[in-house]
């Protein structure tokens, strides 16, 4: 059930969908925190780099989504939703690449290389289609593919072979993200002041924090340096 959220006004400033704007900013805050913490870690590898910028780009995407996409869209055209959408797609692609790189020592070289290239092709394709259609559906499809197919598959491989705590946390985070997506798609809300967007955003923030905890363990695993 779609429960549109009324606008509020403070000091003469109108804010559309205020709770949705705020819950988007919660996701952004969690991701900025994760980026800041990962940035302080001196250990450097490609997995670390991809995870660090996954959180930065997701923080920016949800910040843009909250402020422009929900709170103040009336000051912009609909096309201004695109920066947030495209940044979130780039973010998911970085999470995919981190998962592929992490699992690469445990899979056949041609499998790892194939999906590493597909990661670029897939992102480019969805960006072009989304930019051309201005349809959020393709952002959802890209996220579903990235999380449920790539991130889940490669982390499942690592967990099955190594009982990796990092991969276990990643799989839990994906599960929470999937529940968030189902709530969003089915428009399951409590009230107009806490609708399907808001529930989805809260679950996204929890998922992001679990991804962060998993990232801390992943970047310290010898696998992240290509060593078994």
């Amino acid at each position: 059930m779609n429960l549109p959220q009324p606008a509020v006004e403070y000091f003469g400033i109108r804010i559309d969908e205020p709770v949705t704007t705020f819950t988007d900013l919660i996701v952004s805050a969690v991701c900025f925190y994760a980026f800041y913490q990962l940035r302080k870690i001196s250990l450097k590898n490609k997995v670390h780099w991809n995870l660090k910028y996954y959180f930065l780009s997701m923080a920016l995407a949800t910040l843009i989504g909250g402020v422009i996409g929900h709170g103040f869209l009336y000051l912009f055209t609909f096309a201004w939703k695109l920066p947030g959408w495209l940044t979130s797609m780039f973010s998911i692609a970085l999470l995919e690449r981190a998962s592929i790189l992490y699992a690469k020592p445990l899979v056949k070289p041609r499998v790892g290389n194939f999906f590493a290239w597909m990661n670029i092709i897939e992102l480019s394709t969805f960006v072009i289609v989304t930019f051309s259609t201005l349809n959020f559906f393709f952002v959802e499809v890209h996220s579903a593919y990235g999380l449920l197919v790539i991130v889940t598959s490669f982390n499942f491989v690592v967990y099955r072979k190594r009982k990796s705590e990092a991969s276990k946390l990643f799989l839990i985070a994906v599960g929470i993200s999937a529940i968030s997506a189902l709530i969003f798609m089915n428009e399951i809300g409590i009230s107009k002041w806490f609708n399907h967007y808001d529930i989805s955003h809260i679950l996204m923030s929890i998922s992001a924090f679990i991804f962060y905890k998993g990232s801390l363990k992943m970047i310290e695993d010898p696998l992240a340096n290509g060593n078994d």
Side-chain angles (χ1 to χ4, degrees), residues 27 31 49-62 83-99 119 122-123 127 139 142-143 146-147 151 170 204 208 211:
V27 183
C31 291
W49 189 94
N50 281 277
L51 290 172
K52 181 172 63 174
Y53 287 106
Y54 156 70
F55 285 109
L56 177 61
S57 53
M58 186 57 77
L60 293 172
T62 48
W85 292 358
L86 299 180
T87 307
S88 71
M89 292 168 73
F90 179 69
S91 176
I92 293 296
L94 289 173
L95 188 62
E96 289 178 51
R97 182 160 286 269
S99 298
N119 178 241
E122 154 225 326
L123 175 63
V127 164
V139 181
H142 177 262
S143 294
L147 293 175
V151 175
F170 266 48
M204 283 174 62
F211 271 129

Side-chain angles (χ1 to χ4, degrees), residues 92-164:
I92 293 296
L94 289 173
L95 188 62
E96 289 178 51
R97 182 160 286 269
S99 298
I100 293 166
L101 290 170
Y102 182 52
K104 214 171 179 182
L106 300 179
V107 300
K108 294 179 180 179
R110 65 175 180 271
V111 173
N113 292 333
F114 172 79
F115 280 100
W117 277 105
M118 274 300 296
N119 178 241
I120 298 170
I121 296 168
E122 154 225 326
L123 175 63
S124 302
T125 302
F126 276 101
V127 164
I128 292 169
V129 173
T130 303
F131 192 84
S132 303
T133 63
L134 293 181
N135 191 335
F136 187 68
F137 170 75
F138 296 105
V139 181
E140 294 177 298
V141 173
H142 177 262
S143 294
Y145 169 78
L147 293 175
L148 297 178
V149 177
I150 302 301
V151 175
T152 297
S153 298
F154 280 92
N155 279 285
F156 179 75
V157 168
V158 180
Y159 181 73
R160 184 171 60 84
K161 293 187 176 183
R162 294 278 298 268
K163 294 294 182 284
S164 163

Side-chain angles (χ1 to χ4, degrees), residues 37 59 70 101 157 175 178 196:
Q37 294 298 325
H70 292 288
L101 290 170
V157 168
H196 61 289

